[in-house]
Amino acid sequence: MGTATDEEPMGDRESSASTPLFTFLIPAYRTEPWISETLDSLIAQTRPDWEAVVVDNGNVDAMAAIVAPYTDDPRIRLIRQENSGYGGGINAAADAAHGRWFVPLCSDDLVVENYCEDMAKAIESSPEVDVLSPDAEMFEDGTLRLFAQTFVQNSGVARRNVPTGDLTLPDIMEQQFLYYGGAFRREAWRGVGGHDSDTPRVEDLDLWLRLVAGGWSVRAIPDVLGRYRVRADSMSHAPGSVDVFEDEAVHAFTRAARSSGRPEDLAALDVAVRRLRYVSSIRRARWAFLDGDIPAARQAARAALAQRRTPRAAAIALGLALAPGVLRRLRPWKQEITRRVLDVIAARKWGRSHL
């Protein structure tokens, strides 16, 4: 397998038959129960010109023992190092990558079997684009139950409203819908230094912002090509991480908007901060309510309403103020309806066994 160098002309790289089109960058840390499923989803690809660099980001023998048999496939390589965080792990994989396009992939997530095939078609149809982000299905760890919404929809954006052209900073700041498992042209990745962030909880978002601010062509495509595992211990779902997550996102938005200095970007910054704080306040209200702390839930609901006067925030605030007992009785009913809907979707689409 040949390795492309930065000195080669773009045309030579693009035409090199010995260079894989895609390199999957997979930092692995404490994901021993899931890493095999991740690698199996790569081996099942309908297009074979890919490679994967797995970084045992903690130098753990158990992880290495699971990944080692997969390295019998020459497309899969294992690097072992002390834990250097997600960014350090993914950059180590990028440094060893041979592919013309880099695909970050968490070691507990999956890709559909036609990921490489469909992404290659998207690249061929838009050769001027530097980064392409698809959508992803979301499924619950353990039950493997599909969520009713895709990754993009879960971010609060209707798929029909996703911009079709090059994304701007306002597009990303106001909607924050991009799935991190996209395809990044090698030159674009290296042009912004890969994962190089002082905001580790939102470093994928920070990467999108730096790419767009740097003038690289970034687009979203509607194809659902990823499979995003929702785990109970996910950092983004832990109540204690909400404040830090919010602060880092605000910092990343502010830096990007100020670096451009464009009035439209600075105006979008205010909208983005309000949206982020609204969503965080809604989460706090829900968690406090489930913990039985009604005063804290009411305070969080009022904070959400102060950021965005939506019908949802108003209904939550009113319900907590007047009839919190009714909300508690309604919640199990709502959860049961949601569970049944997801069961129907999973059975009709591709079923539990498909994962």
Side-chain angles (χ1 to χ4, degrees), residues 58-244:
N59 203 21
V60 178
D61 290 342
M63 179 66 74
I66 295 170
V67 176
Y70 285 94
T71 61
D72 290 342
D73 187 323
R75 297 173 298 181
I76 299 176
R77 286 178 286 145
L78 173 64
I79 295 174
R80 305 187 69 186
Q81 66 179 27
E82 295 303 317
N83 187 8
S84 58
Y86 180 82
I90 208 163
N91 284 337
D95 289 342
H98 299 151
R100 302 192 293 275
W101 292 75
F102 295 168
V103 180
L105 182 62
C106 287
S107 54
D108 58 352
D109 287 346
L110 315 174
V111 290
V112 302
E113 64 184 10
N114 54 308
Y115 180 98
C116 291
E117 184 175 353
D118 287 3
M119 287 298 284
K121 291 177 182 176
I123 290 169
E124 291 166 3
S125 66
S126 301
E128 74 281 5
V129 175
D130 300 303
V131 188
L132 289 169
S133 173
D135 201 349
E137 292 177 329
M138 301 177 66
F139 67 96
E140 184 179 41
D141 183 41
T143 68
L144 306 186
R145 182 179 296 120
L146 279 178
F147 282 61
Q149 296 180 320
T150 67
F151 187 94
V152 168
Q153 292 167 330
N154 190 64
S155 70
V157 180
R159 296 182 69 203
R160 64 179 180 275
N161 294 335
V162 174
T164 56
D166 284 356
L167 298 176
T168 64
L169 284 180
D171 288 332
I172 298 177
M173 290 194 297
E174 292 175 10
Q175 302 187 74
Q176 305 158 48
F177 60 88
L178 288 170
Y179 174 59
Y180 58 84
F184 297 74
R185 194 186 297 274
R186 171 193 288 268
E187 290 75 18
W189 182 279
R190 291 186 171 175
V192 297
H195 277 250
D196 180 19
S197 175
D198 57 356
T199 53
R201 291 183 185 250
V202 295
E203 56 189 310
D204 53 337
L205 172 63
D206 181 69
L207 177 61
W208 294 117
L209 293 168
R210 286 187 288 118
L211 283 161
V212 172
W216 299 95
S217 172
V218 178
R219 294 184 190 175
I221 59 175
D223 309 59
V224 180
L225 300 178
R227 289 181 181 154
Y228 177 80
R229 186 188 304 268
V230 179
R231 290 163 44 190
D233 62 344
S234 171
M235 178 175 63
S236 61
H237 290 77
S241 72
V242 170
D243 289 337
V244 177

Side-chain angles (χ1 to χ4, degrees), residues 20 24 38-39 42 59 62 68 71 92 108 110 121 134 184 205 252 262 281 288 290 308-309 311-312 326 335 339 354:
F24 290 91
T38 300
L39 296 176
L42 298 183
N59 203 21
T71 61
D108 58 352
L110 315 174
K121 291 177 182 176
F184 297 74
L205 172 63
R262 291 188 291 266
S281 296
L290 293 176
R308 298 180 68 185
R309 304 190 68 82
R312 181 187 183 193
V326 173
Q335 289 178 317
R339 184 190 67 79
H354 197 78

Side-chain angles (χ1 to χ4, degrees), residues 24-37:
F24 290 91
L25 313 177
I26 310 176
Y29 179 68
R30 293 183 176 177
T31 53
E32 289 86 351
W34 306 284
I35 182 68
S36 291
E37 294 177 51

Side-chain angles (χ1 to χ4, degrees), residues 173-174 257 265-276 307:
M173 290 194 297
E174 292 175 10
D265 294 341
L266 294 171
L269 173 63
D270 180 66
V271 175
V273 170
R274 284 184 174 276
R275 179 182 184 274
L276 182 65
Q307 294 298 328

